[in-house]
Amino acid sequence: MIKSISTLVVFFSVMSTCMAQDSLANLLKRYNTKHIPYITVQELAMPKTNYKILDAREPDEYLVSHLKNAVFVGYKDFKIETILNEIPNKNDTIVVYCSLGIRSETISKKLQDKGYTAVYNLYGGIFEWKNNDFPVYNQQNKKTDSIHAFSKMWGKWLNKGVKVYDLN
């Protein structure tokens, strides 16, 4: 009987992990077109990668935390001219991220439409980055556990770190 119970516990643990991963995949499938290839957080975290990293969230989100060396480009007020000046070489490898990878696909597509040839969308965004224990940095460029979770609806996808919803 005890062996059966422990087997069930293991089974349900594995299933919940698979379902959580599958749920993120389903979420991104529902909102994204897949015109922009994904890069995983593990690939981006590899040493000696030479990517230009763009943060496609809102200013409040970026101020709470961001990936190291990420350039804030925003979403609502995104201006392609900023990128054309910041990254003139259209063959540079660019990774765009947001909270989960939905807004970043929109910004990535705008870059692609302007002729950038190596643009990637960070799969699962900063939430997946933090969920995998990779570091994020605050506005003083110091490591932090805080992540702007955008809203309660979207914040459920952030499993690690401290969820922040408002800076006030």
Side-chain angles (χ1 to χ4, degrees), residues 5-55:
I5 292 172
S6 65
T7 302
L8 282 173
V9 169
V10 170
F11 173 76
F12 284 116
S13 295
V14 170
M15 287 305 294
S16 67
T17 301
C18 291
M19 288 175 67
Q21 291 171 348
D22 194 58
S23 295
L24 177 58
N26 286 337
L27 176 77
L28 293 176
K29 189 182 214 181
R30 182 176 17 190
Y31 286 99
N32 288 355
T33 63
K34 287 191 169 180
H35 287 113
I36 304 298
Y38 288 115
I39 185 171
T40 67
V41 295
Q42 291 82 6
E43 290 171 303
L44 183 59
M46 291 177 69
K48 298 184 182 179
T49 56
N50 190 24
Y51 301 128
K52 308 289 185 190
I53 302 172
L54 305 180
D55 188 311

Side-chain angles (χ1 to χ4, degrees), residues 25-155:
N26 286 337
L27 176 77
L28 293 176
K29 189 182 214 181
R30 182 176 17 190
Y31 286 99
N32 288 355
T33 63
K34 287 191 169 180
H35 287 113
I36 304 298
Y38 288 115
I39 185 171
T40 67
V41 295
Q42 291 82 6
E43 290 171 303
L44 183 59
M46 291 177 69
K48 298 184 182 179
T49 56
N50 190 24
Y51 301 128
K52 308 289 185 190
I53 302 172
L54 305 180
D55 188 311
R57 298 175 301 149
E58 294 305 312
D60 283 355
E61 296 171 90
Y62 181 82
L63 290 175
V64 171
S65 62
H66 52 272
L67 275 58
K68 189 170 187 136
N69 300 321
V71 174
F72 172 77
V73 297
Y75 180 73
K76 287 181 190 170
D77 295 328
F78 174 78
K79 294 185 180 28
I80 192 67
E81 296 78 22
T82 303
I83 306 306
L84 293 169
N85 291 329
E86 183 80 28
I87 308 172
N89 183 351
K90 292 188 176 182
N91 295 317
D92 281 354
T93 303
I94 301 170
V95 176
V96 185
Y97 75 90
C98 62
S99 296
L100 284 164
I102 298 169
R103 293 176 286 175
S104 52
E105 186 189 60
T106 302
I107 300 303
S108 296
K109 182 73 171 106
K110 290 179 181 186
L111 295 172
Q112 202 175 57
D113 290 346
K114 279 294 184 181
Y116 287 91
T117 60
V119 181
Y120 296 90
N121 186 5
L122 184 61
Y123 184 89
I126 196 170
F127 289 4
E128 189 70 6
W129 182 265
K130 187 64 181 168
N131 288 342
N132 280 271
D133 297 315
F134 295 122
V136 294
Y137 298 84
N138 64 20
Q139 58 188 340
Q140 289 83 29
N141 285 317
K142 294 184 180 173
K143 285 184 184 179
T144 182
D145 281 329
S146 297
I147 302 281
H148 196 294
F150 192 73
S151 72
K152 302 279 184 192
M153 182 179 115
W154 297 110

